[in-house]
């Protein structure tokens, strides 16, 4: 018997980690997929996800790359039922004294700019149709200043705020918006961000499959946001509501300071 199809889901950053797990969870629920990422691995990821998955290899840190994904979605001629804006990168180190501006701007271009751009390109049709679900991958890093990954934490705070704001604007539209706030999760993220010499990269992490499941369940239940994973993630966010930004910066720094800055830990 042919499997009942649920609709079309678009997932960015779906070649590895949380994005791949989001795509896998949606495929298991019967969604056809458009899965996007920058490197060749997205082709293999799509094969693993099954025949309903279509890869789009595109650099979402560029406006042309975002438009290319939009064009691929339009070319399919099907409405988007689920949009998971998940692709993201980080960069570790002292913003002023160590880090390269181009790398910092790539974090902003991918995590912030492309999320706004893709939302603007794909959400109007979802709203016109009066249905759809949107999931933004933010982070618990959104809830505190992030010394030694300042741009990253700020980018995730942007996404959290942006998701909550457009959720409100779209409250009567039939389109729901949810922010996913994972804690440290066992993916390639820390190696790619060159954070392996930080305490957070060496600590125990959550499984991306569990993070994705919690995120999709929250999205389907129309929750505004979900902090996934271990109890300590939820505790960190809850305590954060009571602490000053200065205190949170100091606590966060204990997790994100690279080894070559031990005096500041
Ligand atoms: N891991 C954690 O602890 C953690 C915690 C909270 C939030 N998050 C967030 O979760 C999301 C997924 O990260 P992850 O942990 O799953 O890390 P990951 O395994 O490194 O996945 C990142 C994904 O983004 C894609 N990507 C990177 N640059 C891209 C670009 N320019 N254009 C298109 N795609 C691009 C990567 O594909 P390519 O390799 O092909 O570029 C990959 O599919 C990110 O937004 C991250 O900030 C992660």
């Amino acid at each position: 018997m042919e499997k009942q199809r649920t609709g079309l889901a678009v997932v960015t950053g779906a070649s590895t980690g949380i994005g791949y797990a989001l795509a896998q969870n949606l495929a298991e629920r019967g969604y056809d997929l458009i899965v996007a990422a920058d490197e060749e691995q997205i082709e293999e990821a799509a094969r693993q996800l099954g025949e309903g998955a279509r890869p789009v290899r595109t650099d979402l840190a560029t406006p042309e790359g975002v438009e290319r994904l939009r064009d691929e979605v339009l070319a399919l001629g099907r409405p988007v039922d689920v949009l998971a804006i998940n692709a993201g990168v980080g960069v570790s180190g002292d913003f002023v004294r160590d880090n390269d501006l181009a790398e910092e701007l790539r974090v902003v271009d991918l995590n912030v700019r492309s999320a706004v751009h893709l939302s603007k390109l794909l959400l109007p049709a979802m709203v016109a149709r009066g249905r759809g679900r949107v999931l933004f991958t933010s982070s618990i890093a959104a809830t505190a200043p992030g010394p030694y990954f300042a741009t990253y934490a700020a980018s995730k705070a942007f996404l959290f705020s942006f998701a909550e704001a457009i959720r409100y604007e779209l409250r009567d539209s039939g389109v729901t918006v949810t922010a996913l706030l994972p804690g440290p999760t066992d993916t390639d993220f820390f190696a790619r961000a060159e954070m392996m010499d930080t305490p957070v990269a060496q600590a125990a992490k959550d499984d991306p499959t569990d993070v994705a499941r919690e995120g999709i369940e929250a999205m389907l239940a129309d929750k505004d946001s979900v902090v996934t994973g271990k109890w300590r993630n939820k505790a960190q966010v809850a305590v954060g509501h009571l602490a000053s930004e200065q205190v949170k910066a100091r606590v966060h720094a204990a997790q994100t300071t690279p080894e070559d800055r031990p005096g500041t830990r």
Side-chain angles (χ1 to χ4, degrees):
M1 198 173 76
E2 198 177 319
K3 198 175 174 189
Q4 179 79 31
R5 304 317 293 177
T6 318
L8 176 67
V10 177
V11 183
T12 72
S15 58
T16 57
I18 295 169
Y20 181 79
L22 288 171
Q24 204 170 32
N25 187 300
L26 289 163
E28 283 162 11
R29 291 172 187 271
Y31 285 91
D32 292 325
L33 292 161
I34 292 182
V35 288
D38 189 26
E39 305 288 341
E40 200 181 336
Q41 196 175 344
I42 192 64
E43 312 279 347
E44 178 54 28
R47 270 192 291 278
Q48 296 289 329
L49 288 163
E51 59 183 21
R54 189 188 187 91
V56 177
R57 193 176 167 194
T58 187
D59 181 1
L60 293 171
T62 67
E64 304 74 38
V66 177
E67 283 160 8
R68 191 166 123 59
L69 176 55
R70 183 269 320 267
D71 292 346
E72 294 284 340
V73 173
L74 290 182
L76 204 58
R78 289 178 58 184
V80 176
D81 295 281
V82 171
L83 173 61
I85 297 186
N86 165 80
V89 288
V91 58
S92 173
D94 182 308
F95 174 78
V96 175
R97 285 166 292 199
D98 295 337
N99 288 2
D100 182 43
L101 177 61
E103 275 187 61
E104 299 280 4
L105 290 178
R106 196 164 167 81
V107 172
V108 177
D109 284 341
L110 180 63
N111 299 10
V112 176
R113 192 182 196 290
S114 83
V116 173
H117 193 175
L118 192 59
S119 299
K120 192 71 176 164
L121 294 183
L122 295 185
L123 264 62
M126 296 169 79
V127 170
R129 184 171 169 236
R131 59 182 292 192
R133 302 197 181 268
V134 185
L135 183 70
F136 287 96
T137 305
S138 173
S139 167
I140 63 167
T143 63
Y148 306 107
F149 69 161
T151 308
Y152 175 77
S155 77
K156 293 292 154 177
F158 178 99
L159 284 174
F160 187 23
S161 174
F162 182 66
E164 292 282 359
I166 61 173
R167 173 185 172 82
Y168 182 84
E169 291 174 6
L170 297 180
R171 65 193 180 285
D172 298 323
S173 71
V175 175
T176 67
V177 181
T178 301
L180 168 60
L181 278 67
T185 305
D186 192 8
T187 70
D188 297 343
F189 174 84
F190 296 95
R192 290 185 190 187
E194 297 188 3
M195 287 184 77
M196 294 311 286
D197 62 344
T198 61
V200 64
Q202 290 154 20
K205 299 191 190 61
D206 296 316
D207 187 314
T209 307
D210 297 335
V211 170
R213 181 181 31 76
E214 284 190 70
I216 303 273
E217 283 172 2
M219 178 189 76
L220 294 176
D222 191 13
K223 299 244 172 79
D224 71 311
S225 67
V226 59
V227 176
T228 56
K230 300 195 191 322
W231 67 269
R232 64 155 195 265
N233 299 338
K234 296 170 177 66
Q236 186 180 317
V237 172
V239 171
H241 291 310
L242 307 171
S244 73
E245 297 307 300
Q246 284 189 89
V247 167
K248 285 191 279 184
R250 201 178 317 133
V251 170
H252 211 158
Q255 291 302 309
T256 54
T257 304
E259 263 166 22
D260 60 3
R261 289 202 171 271
T264 53
R265 268 192 193 162

